[in-house]
Amino acid sequence: MPGTRKDSSFEIVAREDFSDVTFLLEIRHPLMAKAAQSGQFVIVMSHAEGERIPLTLADFDRGKGTITLVVQAVGKTTREMQQTCQVGASLHALVGPMGVPSRASGAKKVVCVGGGLGVAPVFPQARGFKEAGAYVIGVIGFRTWKLIFWEDRFRSCCDELILCTDDGSVGVKGPVTEGVKRAIAAHPDIGEIVAIGPPVMMKACAEATRPHNIRTVVSLNPVMVDGTGMCGGCRVRVGGQVKFACVDGPDFDGHQVDFEDLTTRLKRFAAEEKSALDRWSESCRMKIPPERAVEEALALPDPFEEVAGG
Amino acid sequence: MAKKRTIRTIPQERTHAREQDPRERSRNFSEVTCVFSVEDALRESERCLFCPDPACVEGCPVGIDIPGFIRKIGEKDFRGAYDVITDANLLASVCGRVCPQETQCEGPCPVGENLEPVAIGRLERFVGDRAIKERWTSVPHIEPNGFRVGIVGSGPAGMACAADMAKAGCEVTVFEAFHVPGGVLRYGIPDFRLPNEVIDAEIDNLRKLGVRFECNTLVGRLFTIEQMIGEMGFDAVFIGTGAGYPRFMGIPGDSLNNVLSANELLTRCNMMCARDPGHDTPLPLGRRVAVVGAGNTAMDATRVCKRLGSEKVYCIYRRTKAESPARFEEVHHAEEEGIEFHWLTTPIEILGDGKGNVRGMRCIRMELGEPDESGRRGPVPIPGSEFEFEADTVVIAIGTHANPIIGQTSRLKLNRRGYIEVDGNLATSLAGVFAGGDIVTGAATVIEAMGAGRKAARSMKTWLGIRDTDTVYLPERAGSDDKLFGIDFAEKSFARVHLTSPERASGGDTTLTIRP
């Protein structure tokens, strides 16, 4: 019941690190767990001076009263969260669920594609389709085998699962579009594809399905401030029209989305983000042992790196 | 009171509030206009003629007893003045700053027919600021009545409604989507016009009335309006979510980076404190910023950009200064601070640098044609007058559409343009649900939203069967013509006198029934 919950008491009740950049947070928010539907997102502020960043809901457990977020530590905010968001800590702000929930299309056979960070938010969609009685083919892609997570969760709700890795260490070698192409080749009767991941991946999926005229839904995650339709920072071009991802989306028809525009707009604060990260890393390096600092400096950028306002 | 005041005996000169020097203030976020000193306030209070039928009260959307509070100032009873204002308006400090007094209370002031009108806004702010400094609050005795009222949105409409319902004895909860309450007062109006401390103080006053604020709550998505009335057990709901879905121009280059809405600029600067290096939210601005539009929001945007260090700030508007919807004072302040105005100019294209950034803007000159439906002369392009200029940031401040979230998530009836449809009592199509402010009228002023919040509160009380208790705080006014036993005829409170048992109903008429 609202009214019993105090502000800023969004407690982190579980955390799991999938790799040195990707981590999962489970946050107690019974009301949101009850309201959440697949395809929606939340806005998080980790501390009072922090920025508001949109994160797609990776899962929600109505029984436990928790929601799940998967965060990739790429920018200052998300890397800071990687350090501070430990079990027992609280987020400064958490609001949602936001956005229009994914519509049930009634498709009988669907492909759910997740690339990199998109693997997490596509999971509730796959589960939703399964619960609606569809035949679900999961296609999930990672850079390498070490970064794989939630394979078991996907196996539990997918009739088929195609794993893709960039380096071929597990499953199909290559991007997720390879998996999509295989799925299309094997199943001529696919009714819908849901693709979530970096813009370049969603664009490639939309191009892969366009010749087959398969309905393709993508979930966009542009830079936002409020997430309630008030700032217009998240505007995207869809079918030649301006839409706000926060209240008109975040799901859109992948064949209609102007990905060039999206990619450009995601770089809006690139310079500020880089300098914020540099400043922050510098201040951290003062505190951490030099050997780890070197390790951090040598860390390769993730190809699925997404500028999620972070 | 000494001799009767006339236009000839009052101080002829309107008292002017001290202002920060334009060159100085365009580099800081401190307030532009300083508050009246006690001497200023006393002198200005002497200019009020105490009209028997005050036009200023008529002009005030919330009906503050303006001569009443000015009289108290004259008597040096500042606390008393505060009580008079707070009868009608909890937000004296806010309204004294941001109301368009020239078209509301000060506009019809008879003193203004010969001299400059009484500086009502400045006096209101003087009282409000003094109350904050002295930590005065007007917390009346509140008798809980057991009703639960939910308010959606913590902006001016929601705050005004919350105050009235709390005073009436309801348990009031205000839901806000942002992490801090205040709505447009917080995210929209910059510190140099309305400091955050003032908003904090006003919100604290509401808390003292027992109002609870629930931030981080997006009504519609976390729970719906129907759920509030149903499973959550609210007896009545007020929706004051504001308009705030910014319009863009629909011209080429609209979605370039560095083209942003005034809402985004102001939210990043005001609420997220982007100007403070200790905060993470970025707000890169170019050296040359073009702001499109000439409303109050546009003025705020230009002046924020100037303060954030942009060298050149242009304001582009398709009509002339006379038609600009901004308050005269705001345009004047912006001009003083070195904002370059380009009247009779419309952008036709935002020019990109090929990398997604803005490099300039192409505009066309306009001239005024026939009056349009708004009564203002419509701008018409002058063929062949296109020109280009360089700019690296474009801020769009041309108004807003209705926010779609409540419409998407409830069965509430909306009008053609997406705003919530209400009747004359601000009741919506759902029983027990009322709405007011920008989400009903489209973009308007803070005080109009507050007026709507108060009006909705009156309707809500009628609907809940609560006898209006406004007059309890007004003993000195209770005896006036339109009131009987402190009950306002206009409120028609009598219809709500309940019979407690059938015996009483049948056995003799013990119920008070009065017809005005």
Side-chain angles (χ1 to χ4, degrees):
Chain A
M1 209 56 203
T4 52
R5 168 174 60 77
K6 271 199 301 222
D7 287 350
S8 309
S9 66
F10 308 106
E11 194 197 349
I12 298 163
V13 293
R15 167 170 169 149
E16 191 180 338
D17 284 74
F18 295 135
S19 69
D20 51 3
V21 288
T22 311
F23 58 100
L24 169 152
L25 299 176
E26 227 174 88
I27 300 147
R28 188 187 315 284
H29 197 318
L31 210 54
M32 199 188 297
K34 187 172 153 228
Q37 286 170 272
S38 64
Q40 292 188 301
F41 67 96
V42 297
I43 290 217
V44 166
M45 248 177 115
S46 58
H47 58 88
E49 286 79 38
E51 53 181 346
R52 293 169 65 92
I53 60 164
L55 294 167
T56 311
L57 278 170
D59 204 359
F60 37 86
D61 188 325
R62 302 200 209 284
K64 270 161 65 184
T66 59
I67 60 143
T68 303
L69 303 173
V70 175
V71 186
Q72 200 165 27
V74 291
K76 189 242 168 182
T77 298
T78 44
R79 292 180 83 164
E80 198 176 45
M81 283 174 73
Q82 192 180 23
Q83 292 191 351
T84 59
C85 291
Q86 304 296 340
V87 174
S90 286
L91 297 173
H92 178 69
L94 170 66
V95 58
M98 290 167 151
V100 182
S102 302
R103 269 158 312 181
S105 62
K108 292 279 166 283
K109 193 175 270 189
V110 296
V111 182
C112 292
V113 192
L117 195 60
V119 170
V122 90
F123 167 72
Q125 306 240 13
R127 186 179 56 189
F129 277 117
K130 186 74 215 163
E131 283 164 1
Y135 184 89
V136 181
I137 304 157
V139 179
I140 52 176
F142 299 90
R143 199 148 42 101
T144 180
W145 66 274
K146 262 170 70 179
L147 302 176
I148 293 173
F149 64 88
W150 281 13
E151 189 186 338
D152 51 335
R153 285 205 191 194
F154 277 90
R155 293 225 181 269
S156 72
C157 71
C158 293
D159 297 280
E160 283 176 48
L161 184 67
I162 304 173
L163 264 171
C164 306
T165 47
D166 286 5
D167 61 359
S169 49
V170 172
V172 178
K173 180 172 161 49
V176 285
T177 38
E178 281 308 312
V180 172
K181 282 177 190 154
R182 287 189 188 197
I184 294 173
H187 301 275
D189 55 342
I190 291 169
E192 180 174 346
I193 288 189
V194 179
I196 308 181
V200 59
M201 176 224 117
M202 292 191 284
K203 184 182 182 197
C205 287
E207 290 316 315
T209 60
R210 199 190 293 275
H212 304 279
N213 207 15
I214 302 170
R215 182 181 133 94
T216 303
V217 177
V218 295
S219 172
L220 308 186
N221 190 18
V223 178
M224 294 180 188
V225 182
D226 58 301
T228 61
M230 199 208 74
C231 80
C234 66
R235 61 193 190 279
V236 289
R237 296 191 79 82
V238 182
Q241 282 190 311
V242 173
K243 299 276 181 193
F244 289 3
C246 63
V247 289
D248 301 320
D251 284 359
F252 291 103
D253 178 350
H255 295 150
Q256 301 280 321
V257 171
D258 181 343
F259 284 100
E260 296 293 319
D261 178 70
L262 177 69
T263 315
T264 312
R265 287 193 61 78
L266 280 170
K267 293 189 191 126
R268 231 179 114 193
F269 297 110
E272 289 73 27
E273 278 156 8
K274 189 177 177 305
S275 67
L277 181 59
D278 290 348
R279 274 198 311 274
W280 181 78
S281 307
E282 191 51 46
S283 72
C284 290
R285 221 158 263 142
M286 318 283 263
K287 295 175 215 151
I288 59 173
E291 56 273 23
R292 255 196 67 199
V294 172
E295 202 177 289
E296 225 172 69
L298 290 176
L300 289 169
D302 190 290
F304 288 126
E305 197 165 282
E306 217 177 339
V307 188
Chain B
M1 189 65 46
K3 261 195 297 189
K4 187 172 157 42
R5 289 179 190 176
T6 68
I7 193 82
R8 281 196 207 89
T9 61
I10 60 169
Q12 303 290 294
E13 284 282 313
R14 174 171 158 128
T15 315
H16 285 275
R18 214 166 53 76
E19 287 180 359
Q20 252 201 95
D21 181 74
R23 270 164 311 179
E24 188 61 38
R25 72 178 190 235
S26 63
R27 292 196 297 264
N28 68 43
F29 276 84
S30 309
E31 267 199 282
V32 169
T33 313
C34 306
V35 67
F36 267 173
S37 64
V38 173
E39 295 74 42
D40 289 340
L42 291 176
R43 186 175 336 112
E44 189 60 24
S45 76
E46 286 172 26
R47 300 183 72 236
C48 180
L49 297 174
F50 302 125
C51 311
D53 198 3
C56 50
V57 180
E58 284 290 303
C60 174
V62 295
I64 297 174
D65 177 11
I66 293 164
F69 92 79
I70 295 181
R71 191 185 296 276
K72 295 276 186 198
I73 294 178
E75 293 164 4
K76 295 190 186 167
D77 177 8
F78 304 132
R79 169 76 218 220
Y82 178 67
D83 290 340
V84 172
I85 295 175
T86 46
D87 279 340
N89 175 13
L90 201 73
L91 310 177
S93 273
V94 173
C95 295
R97 285 174 169 82
V98 303
C99 273
Q101 288 100 8
E102 61 275 15
T103 58
Q104 293 176 344
C105 51
E106 295 179 16
C109 173
V111 175
E113 285 168 25
N114 297 300
L115 311 166
E116 277 194 89
V118 178
I120 300 168
R122 301 268 190 259
L123 288 171
E124 185 184 18
R125 175 179 161 191
F126 165 78
V127 174
D129 283 11
R130 201 166 176 93
I132 293 176
K133 207 170 119 212
E134 306 278 340
R135 296 170 187 276
W136 294 333
T137 39
S138 287
V139 182
H141 170 71
I142 295 174
E143 191 69 45
N145 58 22
F147 287 119
R148 295 182 66 223
V149 171
I151 293 185
V152 186
S154 66
M159 283 164 88
C161 188
D164 281 4
M165 296 315 287
K167 283 184 189 172
C170 300
E171 187 193 319
V172 180
T173 311
V174 180
F175 297 103
E176 165 60 45
F178 268 120
H179 52 285
V180 276
V184 71
L185 305 177
R186 184 78 66 177
Y187 74 75
I189 302 178
D191 269 20
F192 54 84
R193 282 221 289 141
L194 180 63
N196 270 332
E197 302 78 68
V198 172
I199 309 168
D200 291 339
E202 309 277 31
I203 286 182
D204 256 6
N205 279 340
L206 283 174
R207 289 207 167 101
K208 283 177 194 148
L209 290 176
V211 175
R212 202 161 48 199
F213 286 87
E214 289 282 346
C215 293
N216 296 302
T217 308
L218 180 60
V219 176
R221 293 287 174 205
L222 190 60
F223 46 79
T224 62
I225 301 290
E226 281 88 343
Q227 280 176 297
M228 288 177 76
I229 287 287
E231 61 192 89
M232 290 168 71
F234 286 104
D235 300 294
V237 169
F238 173 73
I239 305 171
T241 50
Y245 181 99
R247 279 168 57 186
F248 287 87
M249 291 184 291
I251 59 172
D254 233 5
S255 57
L256 286 169
N257 288 346
N258 300 333
V259 177
L260 68 163
S261 72
N263 270 0
E264 178 172 1
L265 171 88
L266 294 171
T267 307
R268 284 178 182 272
C269 178
N270 301 338
M271 175 178 271
M272 304 307 296
C273 308
R275 64 174 189 272
D276 175 357
H279 287 71
D280 290 344
T281 303
L283 178 54
L285 286 180
R287 290 197 304 121
R288 280 162 302 204
V289 183
V291 176
V292 183
N296 287 320
T297 308
M299 293 308 120
D300 286 344
T302 59
R303 299 169 69 197
V304 158
C305 293
K306 194 79 188 175
R307 282 163 175 75
L308 289 172
S310 296
E311 288 161 27
K312 289 273 182 196
V313 182
Y314 312 106
C315 177
I316 316 281
Y317 184 52
R318 59 199 177 123
R319 304 182 209 239
T320 70
K321 186 174 173 181
E323 286 86 19
S324 93
R327 290 182 65 194
F328 172 77
E329 185 183 73
E330 302 304 323
V331 180
H332 172 68
H333 279 154
E335 281 174 336
E336 280 187 340
E337 288 167 17
I339 309 301
E340 284 181 35
F341 284 85
H342 293 269
W343 307 108
L344 290 169
T345 307
T346 294
I348 45 178
E349 183 181 358
I350 301 168
L351 307 164
D353 66 352
K355 288 179 245 161
N357 300 313
V358 174
R359 72 167 169 84
M361 194 145 83
R362 221 161 111 76
C363 293
I364 188 164
R365 300 270 184 223
M366 313 293 278
E367 58 189 350
L368 290 183
E370 295 300 309
D372 62 9
E373 68 277 8
S374 72
R376 299 179 297 179
R377 291 176 66 196
V380 185
I382 303 172
S385 68
E386 293 89 349
F387 67 102
E388 287 181 9
F389 66 93
E390 288 180 26
D392 26 38
T393 302
V394 175
V395 179
I396 311 291
I398 56 170
T400 51
H401 291 298
N403 188 297
I405 294 178
I406 296 291
Q408 284 169 345
T409 55
S410 76
R411 289 178 286 107
L412 278 176
K413 201 167 161 210
L414 308 179
N415 71 15
R416 195 167 42 78
R417 295 183 305 144
Y419 294 100
I420 297 177
E421 206 155 278
V422 294
D423 66 8
N425 296 318
L426 300 185
T428 68
S429 59
L430 287 177
V433 180
F434 300 80
D438 285 6
I439 193 59
V440 169
T441 58
T445 61
V446 167
I447 189 72
E448 283 171 291
M450 291 185 47
R454 297 205 74 210
K455 186 173 176 189
R458 280 196 291 276
S459 307
M460 215 181 244
K461 287 183 224 173
T462 311
W463 195 78
L464 293 171
I466 303 167
R467 208 193 68 156
D468 209 304
T469 49
D470 271 6
T471 44
V472 168
Y473 318 100
L474 294 170
E476 72 271 29
R477 280 192 279 154
S480 69
D481 293 347
D482 55 346
K483 303 228 168 94
L484 184 62
F485 308 133
I487 300 170
D488 192 335
F489 284 134
E491 304 287 347
K492 296 203 171 48
S493 317
F494 324 107
R496 294 188 294 276
V497 177
H498 291 297
L499 297 173
T500 44
S501 64
E503 297 87 70
R504 282 185 70 186
S506 53
D509 190 9
T510 53
T511 315
L512 186 66
T513 25
I514 306 164
R515 295 269 169 257

